[in-house]
Every structure is written in structure tokens, then in C-alpha cells.
Amino acid sequence: MQDRKDTRHERSGLRGDCARCFGLCCVALPFAASADFALDKPAGQPCPNLRDDHRCGIHTRLRQKGFTGCTVYDCFGAGQKVSQVVFGGRDWRTGSGADARLMSEVFPVVRQLHELLWYVTEALTLSAARPVHGELRRALERTEQLTLLPPGELVALDVGAHRQEVNVLLLRTSELVRAGARRGKGRPKDRRGADLIGARLKGADLRGASLRGACLIAADLTGADLRDADLIGADLRNANLTDADLTGAIFVTQPQLDAARGSAATRLPGSLSRPAHWTTEN
């Protein structure tokens, strides 16, 4: 298993803090009526469930009301960054219409940058990635600087190009970690971008596998060995992680786990929490 240092304190600002945000995810982001959302909402229009105090009126009943998508979303701290830093605490409700529109455009950009900050911060905890730690630190500093740009510059930022640059380092990190995990056991499995919807992977040996961007919707991963696997961008919606071992799995996020199913016996990376909706039975 990959040795890593505890950076929960460093990552505390990379989790959504709704008390310091103006409900930006409920305004800026669009959603369509589906299994995840009960209705259509265009970008820039407040959700009808958003109260005047920027809190959700059905927060404790989101799943029952058909808003499962809201329960598996995390802005990685972008909401409070945009609300309190980029816009200096100016509320979109009381500011100008132009400010409100600009805030809705800035938020998705900063959210992408904060997600990168999460991944790079994790990469810096991994001992196997020491050969690229210097480059990762520079990428972390550069990404943080970008989040502090003025609103107009953030909207104009080519965030896709920056993601590609950082992804080169994240991919190298993945290769270093996974090679160590499979030493003496053959080449790590490469299932990048694989279509594994509903796949029967019960008890599968996926240790050190690359599942970057893999579609694992409703896959049966019961008891699967996912130690040191790379799960960046993997779609785990309704995947069954009951009794699976994700110890040391890299680039896993809380939203991914929240979208999956699991049990009290599912083993998780230390930086993440067991979702409340998972069964408590072993």
C-alpha cells in the first residue's frame, strides 16, 4: 500500500462550506429532469428550492424529492472562494445583475481549478511520486494563483489547457504509484475510459489498475481489490462497493463515493468519509 502523509488540514479548504457561500451551485449550474434531478433548470437561474438565506429548503429530503444529484455534488471549496474572495463577500442577490451573471460564469471555472488543487495536494502525499514532487508543488502554486484572478480574467481563462498541463503530472504520479503496487505481479491493468457499465467485477483483482475516466455505472465491485487503483474521473454512480477494498486508491473524491453504494466493511482512503446513505450492515 502506498505510504502517504495526512493532509486533511491542507485539504480542509477544498471541501464545500455552504455557510460561507451564496448558494452558487444552486444558481450557476444547469440541470435537466432525470433520475438525478426532478426538474429542468438553466444555468444562472436559482433553483426553486433555494431559500433567501442561500440554504436549501429541502436539504434533508433531497433524495426523497428526486434531487439525488445534489447529494453527490461537491464544489471542492470553490463556492466559498468565489463568494468570499473573488467577489469579496458581495451577494449576487443584492448586487447588480451583471455581477450575478459574472459570478455564475466564474464559479464553474474556479470549481475546476479547485478540483485540480485536490488532486495535486493528494499527489504530494504519495511517497512513490517523489520524483515529480517539485513539479507538483509548482503546479499547486500556479493553480492557486489562478483561482485568485479577477472575475473577468477567470472567465477568459483557458482552464482546459491548464488541466491538460497538470494532468501530465497526475498521470506520471499514477504510473509511479501503480507500478509499485503491482511489483512482481505483472503489469498494472489499464482500463482508462473503459465502458464497464453493469460489469460483473465481484472479487476482481484491480489492484494498481488504471480506471481513469472508466464508466462503472451500476458495476458490481463487491469485494473487489481496488488498492492503489487510479480512479480519477471514474463514474461510480450506483456502483456496488460493498466489502471492496479501496485502501490507498488514488484520486478518489467524496462525490464519487457518495454516488456509489457500499457497506460498513468497505475500506476507504483515510481522507474520505463513509457516505451516510451506505448500509451500516457488514
Side-chain angles (χ1 to χ4, degrees):
M1 184 182 70
Q2 174 63 207
D3 291 333
R4 63 178 79 196
K5 64 179 181 178
D6 191 338
T7 60
R8 280 174 286 186
H9 175 70
E10 287 90 335
R11 289 208 240 180
S12 62
L14 298 177
R15 289 186 171 91
D17 183 352
C18 297
R20 300 179 57 226
C21 177
F22 298 135
L24 295 184
C25 63
C26 306
V27 179
L29 305 180
F31 49 74
S34 62
D36 294 321
F37 297 101
L39 48 81
D40 295 318
K41 186 192 83 66
Q45 177 177 305
C47 173
N49 298 309
L50 185 66
R51 303 187 316 205
D52 289 343
D53 63 357
H54 303 298
R55 299 301 179 91
C56 176
I58 60 169
H59 180 70
T60 60
R61 296 171 289 134
L62 283 166
R63 287 180 176 271
Q64 296 91 319
K65 292 291 186 178
F67 288 87
T68 300
C70 298
T71 69
V72 301
Y73 178 80
D74 191 341
C75 70
F76 295 97
Q80 62 260 33
K81 172 68 74 63
V82 174
S83 297
Q84 303 300 332
V85 179
V86 179
F87 282 86
R90 298 199 303 277
D91 185 339
W92 59 267
R93 288 187 188 275
T94 57
S96 68
D99 265 357
R101 288 190 295 274
L102 188 57
M103 193 175 290
S104 289
E105 293 173 356
V106 165
F107 172 69
V109 175
V110 177
R111 197 270 185 188
Q112 290 189 65
L113 294 173
H114 268 235
E115 185 177 8
L116 285 177
L117 289 174
W118 175 276
Y119 293 139
V120 176
T121 300
E122 177 174 347
L124 285 166
T125 73
L126 305 173
S127 59
R130 285 196 183 101
V132 291
H133 275 188
E135 293 172 89
L136 286 166
R137 290 190 191 94
R138 289 189 287 275
L140 186 73
E141 181 179 354
R142 173 58 178 158
T143 304
E144 176 62 31
Q145 289 173 345
L146 291 176
T147 70
L148 301 174
L149 289 172
E153 293 183 39
L154 279 166
V155 171
L157 178 67
D158 188 348
V159 70
H162 182 67
R163 287 183 69 100
Q164 288 180 354
E165 292 175 10
V166 175
N167 190 55
V168 171
L169 297 175
L170 298 179
L171 183 57
R172 179 59 179 148
T173 296
S174 174
E175 292 168 347
L176 290 167
V177 170
R178 294 185 301 106
R182 296 294 299 188
R183 189 170 291 118
K185 297 183 180 181
R187 187 176 180 83
K189 295 181 176 66
D190 188 348
R191 306 303 300 273
R192 284 180 290 180
D195 182 355
L196 298 170
I197 296 176
R200 298 178 180 179
L201 296 168
K202 184 175 182 177
D205 179 7
L206 295 168
R207 184 168 187 175
S210 175
L211 292 163
R212 296 168 66 91
C215 188
L216 287 155
I217 296 174
D220 183 4
L221 290 160
T222 304
D225 187 350
L226 290 157
R227 287 176 291 172
D228 298 310
D230 181 352
L231 288 164
I232 195 168
D235 192 339
L236 295 174
R237 282 178 293 169
N238 206 35
N240 191 348
L241 296 174
T242 297
D243 300 338
D245 190 350
L246 283 77
T247 306
I250 58 174
F251 304 137
V252 190
T253 66
Q254 194 64 49
Q256 285 175 299
L257 294 183
D258 291 342
R261 294 180 288 137
S263 67
T266 304
R267 301 181 66 183
L268 303 176
S271 61
L272 302 175
S273 302
R274 195 174 308 278
H277 67 277
W278 283 16
T279 177
T280 57
E281 298 178 359
N282 286 313

